[in-house]
Amino acid sequence: MSESTTRLAIVTGGNRGLGLEACRQLAQKGYRVVLTARSADDAKRAAASLKNDGSVRPEQLDVSNAASVQAFEELARAQLGPVDALVNNAGVSLNGFDLNVVRGTLSVNFFGALRVTQALQPLVADGGNIVMVSSGMGELSAYSGALRARFLDPALDVAGLLALVGEFESAVAAGTHTAQGWPSSAYRVSKAALNALTRILAKQSARVHVNSICPGWVKTDMGGRSASRTVETGAKGIVWAATLGSDGPHGGFFRDGKAIAW
Ligand code: NAP
């Protein structure tokens, strides 16, 4: 990938599903794309399946592994230059519901996006975009009023959010999460926390746009064959948010470029 004036996008979980398609669409729009994947071989294979003109660069990045994120941050600082779009796409939807599922889900869907964003946000260019690939499942109607109010509290900061997520984990461990008003879904809580992170980061930085998007129910390994949307359609909303101009929305939640409720 040659250094140039071309805009640069970094996508996590770019080896398959929505991440791979977002890489394809971004490259088609003329971006240099760093396609990252948990496995270096998967990243190489996926990049090779896309536009083969050197505009898609494969790199290893396991968002749930602090050492991997640090190594990628060092590479980005040394070799990539200003980042125009960071797409936090990597995600898991694990079967079942217990403490292991909660920890495994949060470590990718919430802590992974937090870790990657904290590492790379300083490298994002003024007016650049950070996209949190969230889900309609992150909406807050299934929570107790008290928890909903805490998620939506305008004074919530990252420390407060970490404490809130920690309370969920502790409540699951103690078997009291339902009584406390939490849903029995690690995925829902991970995406609600990701959305809260979007609101917090957006408030903290006017320099960079931060938005959450829901791709809809998409035919991928995660969404399954019965899903209503193609991967092309689902990724379009991600790419929309990744390519917003400096006058674009900030701190919102969108599906197909239209605002939806938290
Ligand atoms: P997918 O086909 O299952 O792909 C998930 C991607 O995330 C894979 O590339 C996977 O890599 C990667 N990943 C998982 N753990 C990772 C880690 N620790 N580090 C780096 N990458 C990791 O799912 P998808 O449908 O494309 O989902 C993409 C995003 O859209 C997710 O955040 C998901 O929650 C969200 N979403 C999907 C739907 C839907 O209907 N499909 C709906 C709403 C939201 P490996 O190949 O290494 O596992």
Side-chain angles (χ1 to χ4, degrees):
M1 182 189 284
S2 60
E3 229 353 275
S4 72
T5 54
T6 315
R7 286 164 298 174
L8 177 79
I10 296 172
V11 179
T12 67
N15 55 303
R16 58 187 169 99
L18 284 159
L20 177 59
E21 177 58 19
C23 289
R24 193 187 66 76
Q25 292 184 17
L26 284 161
Q28 207 166 46
K29 284 182 180 290
Y31 277 68
R32 291 179 297 139
V33 178
V34 184
L35 182 163
T36 72
R38 183 154 61 149
S39 137
D41 284 347
D42 285 351
K44 279 189 198 130
R45 247 192 308 275
S49 76
L50 298 178
K51 210 169 155 184
N52 202 4
D53 62 358
S55 62
V56 181
R57 169 176 171 157
E59 290 296 342
Q60 195 274 340
L61 174 58
D62 180 341
V63 304
S64 62
N65 180 316
S68 171
V69 174
Q70 193 188 336
F72 183 79
E73 177 191 348
E74 282 161 17
L75 177 145
R77 283 185 189 279
Q79 299 180 27
L80 295 181
V83 177
D84 297 285
L86 168 62
V87 180
N88 284 301
N89 164 78
V92 293
S93 172
L94 304 176
N95 290 327
F97 182 75
D98 60 22
L99 192 55
N100 281 336
V101 168
V102 166
R103 289 187 173 146
T105 306
L106 289 170
S107 81
V108 179
N109 296 8
F110 171 63
F111 291 111
L114 173 64
R115 191 179 288 118
V116 169
T117 302
Q118 285 179 331
L120 300 182
Q121 188 168 9
L123 307 183
V124 179
D126 289 354
N129 291 293
I130 296 177
V131 183
M132 304 299 190
V133 181
S134 183
S135 164
M137 302 277 248
E139 58 89 30
L140 293 165
S141 63
Y143 296 68
S144 68
L147 280 174
R148 202 160 48 240
R150 287 179 65 195
F151 269 103
L152 292 170
D153 183 351
L156 188 68
D157 58 11
V158 171
L161 179 57
L162 291 173
L164 195 50
V165 168
E167 279 179 36
F168 173 59
E169 239 186 88
S170 303
V172 173
T176 57
H177 73 280
T178 313
Q180 291 179 28
W182 295 95
S184 294
S185 164
Y187 187 80
R188 281 182 183 279
V189 174
S190 72
K191 295 299 188 181
L194 186 63
N195 285 346
L197 181 63
T198 292
R199 293 189 292 272
I200 292 166
L201 296 178
K203 244 189 315 136
Q204 285 175 351
S205 165
R207 191 182 71 76
V208 170
H209 293 91
V210 188
N211 290 294
S212 275
I213 73 98
C214 167
W217 185 27
V218 181
K219 288 187 214 306
T220 61
D221 292 342
M222 186 186 290
R225 284 202 210 129
S226 315
S228 54
R229 305 187 130 201
T230 63
V231 74
E232 290 83 6
T233 306
K236 235 171 149 176
I238 298 174
V239 170
W240 170 82
T243 56
L244 288 168
S246 49
D247 55 347
H250 183 44
F253 190 20
F254 300 92
R255 185 184 297 124
D256 299 331
K258 297 190 183 75
I260 56 174
W262 297 110

